[in-house]
Amino acid sequence: MKLVHKDFERDGGGRLVLIAEESEDMWHTYNLVMEGDSVRASTVRKVTNESATGSTTSNRIRITLTIRIENIFFDTQACILQLKGRNIEENQHVKMGAYHTIDLELNKKFTLTKSRWDSVHIERIELACDPSQSADIAAIVMQEGLANVCLVTSSMTIVRAKIDVQIPRKRRGDAAQHEKGLLRFYDQVIQALLRHVNFDVVKAILVASPGFVRQQFYDYMYQQAVKTDNKLLFENKSKFILVHSSSGYKHSLKEVLQDTSIQARLADTKATEEVRALEAFYKMMKNEQSRAFYGPKHVFSAAEADAVEVLLISDKLFRANNVGERKKYVDLVDKVREMGGEVRIFSSMHVSGEQLDLLTGLCAILRFPMPELEDTDDSDSD
């Protein structure tokens, strides 16, 4: 994310001028904009003109509009953020108060104005504008006939290609059709890998499967690389890591990232830091239950007692349309940090974030046991 101009103070109003330079920046923007904010950007509008004779002509023209946001929709596949709202600045082509939808896309400059920039907003901007944060893991999760080619960034797990091929069964004494179907499947996976993975950016490419599928695929890929003289695959051979998974579905990526040997190889990526934090919470729940709690009622009670050592919170909770609801969670984050606690904000589009959302999106590891919390029912968890 490129920060062009900044004019605001924490917990005060102001504006930012930003340019989203890669797909993950659009996710950060989605987490920054809220209903009631205003956004100014270039857009296309259909304008109808009436001539002196009474005939009308319609033209699509490019204009710059400022709207007060009323509705937000993020298309993760097209990587476009659609913001709908009313025009709030005079314009010769669009009346004040008229509805318009602005599409924010990659490399498109926009100005975002808020009445209040809180600590979570500021942290999000710092994260987005840090050049060291980028898509650092690619993964192929596969089984016979099914493969998901994923990019694992610091904030998202994106399925870039899904290959689903019907492979003929082996027949007694004749495995030729099965082998032919398998190789055709492997070819499609190789093409998807080359099309969707930027080898200059990724630090590692995980190939995960049950059984021997990953090894057979890997061997076939490099046999083909020899035949086609594919230098790209040979230059990046050291980045491939073969690992076991229970299936070829996306959710199997969670168990892959939890593998300790994989975590050692990927020690410097934010994705594995989140997985490790969630693992630590599960271990604490198993071994010392009175130091691990989830759900708003329990976690807020622990925070009131200054007992929270590590707070795990989903970014989904900060996207609440109710300003008071959002402020409640922002204040919780600030309080935990003030007391020397660690805060981990999980992306709801990451496999670890999806797991956290199953636990209400809010968990805490405590400094000391609070068995009295176990006796209270967390009725707010839903």
Side-chain angles (χ1 to χ4, degrees):
M1 183 87 82
K2 185 177 181 181
L3 179 59
V4 180
H5 179 73
K6 181 172 81 168
D7 180 20
F8 71 84
E9 294 178 5
R10 176 174 162 174
D11 293 326
R15 66 192 180 96
L16 277 181
V17 182
L18 298 162
I19 300 173
E21 295 179 309
E22 52 188 65
S23 57
E24 194 170 353
D25 294 339
M26 295 305 299
W27 173 250
H28 290 307
T29 305
Y30 173 53
N31 282 280
L32 280 173
V33 297
M34 296 178 68
E35 292 177 14
D37 295 346
S38 68
V39 70
R40 180 177 175 81
S42 171
T43 185
V44 173
R45 176 100 175 177
K46 187 178 179 182
V47 176
T48 304
N49 296 311
E50 189 173 337
S51 68
T53 59
S55 61
T56 58
T57 56
S58 294
N59 295 304
R60 292 174 66 82
I61 61 169
R62 184 161 289 281
I63 53 176
T64 299
L65 284 183
T66 305
I67 63 168
R68 178 89 59 215
I69 302 168
E70 293 185 11
N71 187 268
I72 301 164
F73 174 72
F74 183 35
D75 185 338
T76 54
Q77 294 303 312
C79 209
I80 293 174
L81 186 61
Q82 295 179 330
L83 307 174
K84 183 183 178 182
R86 293 179 184 270
N87 180 35
I88 59 170
E89 282 190 8
E90 287 287 350
N91 187 288
Q92 68 178 94
H93 299 292
V94 184
K95 292 177 184 176
M96 288 281 285
Y99 274 106
H100 186 80
T101 299
I102 290 177
D103 288 348
L104 292 186
E105 304 168 311
L106 292 178
N107 302 308
K108 183 175 181 177
K109 188 164 76 171
F110 65 95
T111 303
L112 178 64
T113 305
K114 287 179 175 290
S115 57
R116 180 175 180 263
W117 291 87
D118 58 42
S119 60
V120 174
H121 286 137
I122 291 167
E123 185 179 336
R124 174 71 64 174
I125 293 157
E126 288 170 354
L127 175 67
C129 296
D130 180 356
S132 68
Q133 302 291 339
S134 57
D136 39 28
I137 308 171
I140 304 169
V141 192
M142 64 195 307
Q143 62 190 48
E144 279 198 5
L146 175 68
N148 284 284
V149 179
C150 308
L151 290 181
V152 185
T153 72
S154 59
S155 301
M156 291 192 281
T157 304
I158 314 163
V159 177
R160 295 314 303 259
K162 182 178 180 180
I163 298 97
D164 199 345
V165 174
Q166 194 70 40
I167 295 175
R169 290 183 180 180
K170 283 183 181 175
R171 298 185 185 278
R172 187 177 295 175
D174 180 19
Q177 291 303 311
H178 174 78
E179 289 298 320
K180 198 179 288 184
L182 206 53
L183 298 184
R184 196 163 52 241
F185 165 62
Y186 290 160
D187 281 329
Q188 289 184 35
V189 178
I190 294 167
Q191 290 307 311
L193 172 71
L194 296 173
R195 190 181 307 119
H196 295 291
V197 174
N198 184 343
F199 286 87
D200 293 332
V201 174
V202 295
K203 298 184 179 82
I205 302 151
L206 306 177
V207 183
S209 78
F212 301 105
V213 177
R214 59 187 177 276
Q215 190 66 55
Q216 290 168 354
F217 166 73
Y218 180 79
D219 293 342
Y220 176 75
M221 178 172 64
Y222 276 98
Q223 286 168 15
Q224 294 303 105
V226 171
K227 288 180 184 177
T228 58
D229 192 26
N230 190 317
K231 291 186 174 67
L232 186 66
L233 286 175
F234 282 109
E235 287 167 3
N236 291 279
K237 194 170 185 178
S238 61
K239 291 183 179 179
F240 284 88
I241 304 170
L242 307 191
V243 62
H244 172 79
S245 70
S246 58
S247 76
Y249 293 94
K250 177 192 166 188
H251 62 78
S252 295
L253 198 52
K254 172 183 166 282
E255 68 196 53
V256 173
L257 292 171
Q258 284 176 347
D259 188 302
T260 50
S261 62
I262 296 302
Q263 288 187 356
R265 291 282 300 270
L266 307 173
D268 59 341
T269 68
K270 185 174 182 289
T272 54
E273 287 171 14
E274 290 187 357
V275 171
R276 278 200 292 269
L278 200 56
E279 271 292 282
F281 175 78
Y282 282 129
K283 278 183 186 171
M284 188 65 77
M285 271 194 90
K286 186 179 177 183
N287 300 329
E288 203 172 342
Q289 205 169 354
S290 57
R291 281 187 59 202
F293 291 94
Y294 65 90
K297 189 174 180 182
H298 287 156
V299 173
F300 276 93
S301 297
E304 283 301 311
D306 299 332
V308 178
E309 184 175 25
V310 184
L311 179 71
L312 283 56
I313 184 166
S314 169
D315 59 13
K316 190 180 277 187
L317 298 176
F318 300 115
R319 291 200 296 275
N321 292 332
N322 183 323
V323 176
E325 184 77 4
R326 178 192 162 90
K327 187 177 185 301
K328 184 174 78 174
Y329 291 112
V330 172
D331 291 346
L332 173 66
V333 166
D334 290 343
K335 180 175 176 60
V336 169
R337 283 182 173 148
E338 280 168 20
M339 299 312 298
E342 182 185 344
V343 176
R344 292 243 171 237
I345 299 177
F346 282 60
S347 166
S348 54
M349 277 196 69
H350 198 287
V351 280
S352 55
E354 289 170 4
Q355 287 292 308
L356 184 63
D357 284 340
L358 295 176
L359 295 169
T360 74
L362 191 65
C363 299
I365 298 172
L366 309 190
R367 292 190 172 92
F368 48 83
M370 290 187 71
E372 62 272 22
L373 290 182
E374 295 179 48
D375 302 327
T376 61
D377 176 39
D378 196 338
S379 55
D380 297 331
S381 293
D382 300 332

